[in-house]
Amino acid sequence: MVHLASVASDATAKRGSVIEDMENITIDEPAADEVTASVYGSRFAARELPQHEMPDHEMPKEVAYRLIRDDLTLDGNPMLNLASFVTTYMEEEVEKLMAEALPKNFIDYEEYPQTAEIQNRCVSMIARMFNAPTHSDDASAMGTSTVGSSEAIMLGVLAMKRRWQNKRKAEGKDFSKPNIVMNSAVQVCWEKAARYFEVEERYSYCTKERYVIDPEEAVSLVDENTIAICAIIGTTYTGEYEDVKAINDLLVDKNIDCPIHVDAASGGFVAPFVVPELAWDFRLEKVISINVSGHKYGLVYPGVGWVVWRSPEYLPKELVFNINYLGADQASFTLNFSKGASQVIGQYYQMIRLGKRGYRSIMMNLTRTADYLAANLKQLGFIVMSKGRGQGLPLVAFRLDPMLGHHYDEFAVAHQLRERGWVVPAYTMAPHSEDLKLMRVVVREDFSRSRCDTLVKDIKLAVETLNSMDKKSIEDHNV
């Protein structure tokens, strides 16, 4: 896990350099006031960077910058990381705006009222993009920014659970065993939300032929303790859109009182522009809340998400905290408190800079590029598992054709591509279909047709290289 770091023991910390004999090499230290013209001529360049304990003394800012920057060169190139949905390109003008906002604490509405107003504008634009009802003030949608879709989903689950509990209490019924229905291909944040907030997970499992939720099966899993059904617009595994309308219609036809939350983390900024006729949002009466990631196809650098509720009735008032210790009365419904304002400002820039036509142009180009890549991969003998022509996210999920009898798997292909700098993930499918191995290329804004051609050439070269190697050599090479 990247997010959890263990603290080194004193014995480990004292080991220092990997090569212990380096301690026997003496280097004359410059006098305290000696000035060197070069970072690499300074005493700091002859030492390892502090790793376990804060140093006793300061170092020049230029030296600190250069040494840390050198350390970071070991990271991969974000533009070649085709595993991630996260935005890796923004215009210089918005980068300046975001840099200027770095000192601002977004939560301090009294000090930064215009930043709060910008968030409200974003919520309004996104809610209308999702066809939220706006016919009256009493029925108007409401929403908030988050640090990403994970927090947005947590808030959505909290609201649905509390609303279900309040209803059960009012009816004098047991409210200790809530459950939520979802596809087994959900992003891990859904499993976290269910376990952290003690909600039973009920799954509609994927099969070798179906990688999305089965509407009939999902509805059949609903009982009086179900707080909601989760439907996904753009699954992580294959990018496919789940049939939210079918779930909605079944619930209506069967007169089942169960809401739908739509996880549009990846597809919320794609579907409205590529397939505007697709009914998945607040046009469906059972959809009560939607989350979306601004830092994915919302085209903002990492750190912003959004959650929108159909109307105030779906967000229990007791979950909203009113505080005044920052200088003014303000309402807060978040899992954290302090956060930067830069990403919210970046989201507003993108929406007014691009407008609907700009977003549509970008998303259509990404869709065309994904279709082009899929066609090339089919010519190379791969099986494409994702939907094309805008019926899913602009990504390509693919796997080796088992009929061709390869003596290597998708993980070996991914390893070969990594040697060329590409990060194209290989992984197993969701539970109950995990014997399927596949790879995925996420087509982002900065993935041009030219770069796509280079990737295709490198995939072809990777396959040719693996075909020329025997099985043992491949296994030894991938260790």
Side-chain angles (χ1 to χ4, degrees):
M1 286 288 292
V2 175
H3 303 86
L4 297 176
S6 60
V7 178
S9 67
D10 291 340
T12 301
K14 287 178 181 178
R15 290 191 194 121
S17 174
V18 177
I19 305 174
E20 295 185 6
D21 288 343
M22 287 293 291
E23 297 176 2
N24 300 323
I25 300 176
T26 57
I27 300 175
D28 294 332
E29 293 217 5
D33 59 347
E34 184 177 338
V35 177
T36 176
S38 169
V39 169
Y40 302 109
S42 70
R43 65 182 183 274
F44 302 102
R47 298 172 174 172
E48 67 176 349
L49 282 171
Q51 296 180 25
H52 305 294
E53 181 132 4
M54 187 184 299
D56 293 326
H57 302 288
E58 65 273 26
M59 68 171 64
K61 60 181 183 293
E62 299 85 355
V63 174
Y65 169 79
R66 172 55 63 178
L67 294 182
I68 295 174
R69 185 179 180 185
D70 288 351
D71 210 27
L72 291 173
T73 58
L74 296 174
D75 280 343
N77 182 342
M79 290 188 176
L80 299 182
N81 179 7
L82 305 181
S84 177
F85 289 90
V86 174
T87 296
T88 52
Y89 165 78
M90 295 183 78
E91 294 172 332
E92 289 184 13
E93 289 76 11
V94 65
E95 288 181 341
K96 291 177 184 177
L97 275 176
M98 294 171 73
E100 290 165 3
L102 284 174
K104 294 184 179 181
N105 184 5
F106 175 79
I107 202 68
D108 195 345
Y109 302 155
E110 173 72 6
E111 185 69 21
Y112 309 115
Q114 202 58 28
T115 298
E117 168 60 20
I118 283 176
Q119 182 214 229
N120 296 341
R121 295 173 189 175
C122 290
V123 168
S124 180
M125 291 178 186
I126 291 170
R128 289 174 182 272
M129 183 172 69
F130 294 161
N131 294 291
T134 56
H135 56 275
S136 70
D137 291 338
D138 293 336
S140 63
M142 60 191 307
T144 186
S145 64
T146 62
V147 294
S149 271
S150 291
E151 184 189 4
I153 286 167
M154 299 279 182
L155 297 179
V157 171
L158 273 176
M160 292 184 292
K161 179 183 177 183
R162 184 56 61 89
R163 184 170 176 269
W164 171 84
Q165 287 177 325
N166 291 345
K167 181 174 178 288
R168 298 285 290 180
K169 288 178 185 178
E171 295 171 349
K173 297 178 180 178
D174 177 66
F175 54 90
S176 64
K177 299 177 181 178
N179 67 67
I180 187 166
V181 176
M182 49 191 173
N183 178 14
S184 62
V186 290
Q187 213 269 356
V188 69
C189 60
W190 278 100
E191 299 173 74
K192 289 181 180 179
R195 295 179 195 178
Y196 292 171
F197 302 138
E198 299 182 315
V199 178
E200 178 195 350
E201 305 154 61
R202 291 191 174 180
Y203 290 114
S204 168
Y205 288 99
C206 295
T207 68
K208 292 182 179 179
E209 295 77 31
R210 175 180 52 77
Y211 316 125
V212 292
I213 200 168
D214 180 335
E216 290 277 1
E217 182 182 8
V219 172
S220 72
L221 292 170
V222 173
D223 63 18
E224 63 180 4
N225 293 319
T226 303
I227 65 172
I229 296 175
C230 161
I232 309 170
I233 293 298
T235 65
T236 300
Y237 289 88
T238 63
E240 193 172 346
Y241 298 150
E242 296 191 324
D243 195 342
V244 188
K245 187 176 187 303
I247 299 173
N248 177 87
D249 292 349
L250 284 168
L251 292 172
V252 173
D253 292 344
K254 295 175 182 289
N255 196 28
I256 298 175
D257 183 16
C258 176
I260 299 172
H261 175 97
V262 178
D263 179 0
S266 300
F269 277 97
V270 179
F273 303 110
V274 179
V275 282
E277 70 281 0
L278 181 67
W280 61 271
D281 51 20
F282 292 120
R283 286 171 286 183
L284 305 176
E285 62 180 277
K286 290 294 185 179
V287 174
I288 64 164
S289 51
I290 301 172
N291 67 274
V292 65
S293 291
H295 58 225
K296 291 182 180 176
Y297 288 108
L299 308 181
V300 182
Y301 288 144
V304 64
W306 305 90
V307 58
V308 180
W309 287 272
R310 175 183 285 272
S311 70
E313 70 174 290
Y314 299 108
L315 177 54
K317 292 181 179 179
E318 63 266 30
L319 293 178
V320 180
F321 290 83
N322 294 293
I323 61 171
N324 63 7
Y325 46 72
L326 289 179
D329 292 329
Q330 60 188 63
S332 174
F333 182 39
T334 61
L335 293 183
N336 65 318
F337 194 67
S338 295
K339 68 176 181 180
S342 298
Q343 269 64 23
V344 170
I345 292 170
Q347 185 73 80
Y348 184 59
Y349 173 95
Q350 293 290 54
M351 289 197 289
I352 68 168
R353 158 77 174 92
L354 296 171
K356 294 177 181 177
R357 188 173 71 172
Y359 267 99
R360 184 177 299 111
S361 297
I362 290 171
M363 299 308 156
M364 291 302 293
N365 269 349
L366 299 186
T367 300
R368 294 186 189 100
T369 302
D371 288 348
Y372 174 76
L373 175 59
N376 276 275
L377 290 172
K378 287 178 181 178
Q379 287 187 354
L380 292 177
F382 289 95
I383 295 175
V384 173
M385 303 170 68
S386 49
K387 299 286 186 180
R389 305 185 69 82
Q391 298 308 303
L393 297 177
L395 63 78
V396 183
F398 59 101
R399 62 189 177 99
L400 293 167
D401 187 345
M403 300 300 292
L404 298 180
H406 297 290
H407 58 280
Y408 52 87
D409 62 7
E410 288 78 3
F411 289 89
V413 178
H415 188 84
Q416 282 290 319
L417 290 173
R418 191 63 185 257
E419 294 185 1
R420 287 281 291 158
W422 300 103
V423 180
V424 179
Y427 51 96
T428 54
M429 198 52 194
H432 287 213
S433 54
E434 59 266 25
D435 54 336
L436 279 176
K437 298 176 184 178
L438 64 155
M439 301 174 68
R440 186 192 67 212
V441 172
V442 177
V443 178
R444 296 191 305 270
E445 182 184 7
D446 56 355
F447 188 73
S448 64
R449 173 72 171 268
S450 176
R451 189 173 297 166
C452 181
D453 286 333
T454 303
L455 174 64
V456 170
K457 291 175 183 176
D458 284 343
I459 291 175
K460 182 179 180 181
L461 178 61
V463 171
E464 290 173 349
T465 301
L466 291 169
N467 285 335
S468 67
M469 298 170 66
D470 59 51
K471 187 174 182 180
K472 188 177 186 309
S473 297
I474 293 172
E475 291 173 352
D476 293 344
H477 185 67
N478 290 343
V479 170

